Amino acid sequence: MSEQSGKIHSLSYKLLIIFVPLVCVAGVGLFAVLEYGQYRSQRADLIEALDELVNVQSSAFIPAVWELDTEQVAKLLHEVGRLPQIQGGVVLDSVGGVLASTGDWESAPSSPEFRAERLLIHKTANDQETVGKLIVTVHSAQIYQELIDRLKVNGLVLAVLVWALVAS
């Protein structure tokens, strides 16, 4: 009977040698595809949110820049800078002088799509005049942190799957 037990153990061992790597490769491949899709989606959402933020906020800055109310410009920009994805921002006057800034707006973003610029155009009944420019830069640190958190969970799921395969 010990010979049969040795053969069964040997057969189980051989099957595990085949199935454990296959399950690991399949799991890692599946998780990689899913996480890449999630990353691309979150990145696109961040770029869309940046464009939306700059479009909406530019209208709030126009009256303050037109009136050269630097305190109001600084206050508005400070509120924008409190958003977690914001790397930095600046409001320039019509000749390029800095009216207010927040965060690291001078450094290049990790991707060109992570910086948005909008002209601040004051419109009257008969005329329109460019009074300044709003520049906002975002970063992807939040996306990467969420990715790392999901990878930890995926690793745990894969470990449990391998454990269940070996234990059965």
Side-chain angles (χ1 to χ4, degrees), residues 59-124:
S59 62
F61 281 98
I62 291 171
V65 174
W66 174 253
E67 296 170 5
L68 290 176
D69 186 354
T70 56
E71 287 181 26
Q72 180 66 17
V73 171
K75 180 180 173 189
L76 289 168
L77 197 56
H78 174 72
E79 291 301 316
V80 169
R82 291 179 57 194
L83 296 171
Q85 69 271 20
I86 300 296
Q87 176 179 320
V90 65
V91 176
L92 305 173
D93 62 18
S94 59
V95 294
V98 175
L99 294 177
S101 66
T102 187
D104 182 15
W105 62 274
E106 293 177 303
S107 297
S110 59
S111 175
E113 295 92 13
F114 288 174
R115 175 169 283 166
E117 301 181 7
R118 292 293 180 275
L119 292 176
L120 303 175
I121 300 173
H122 182 263
K123 296 177 183 176
T124 61

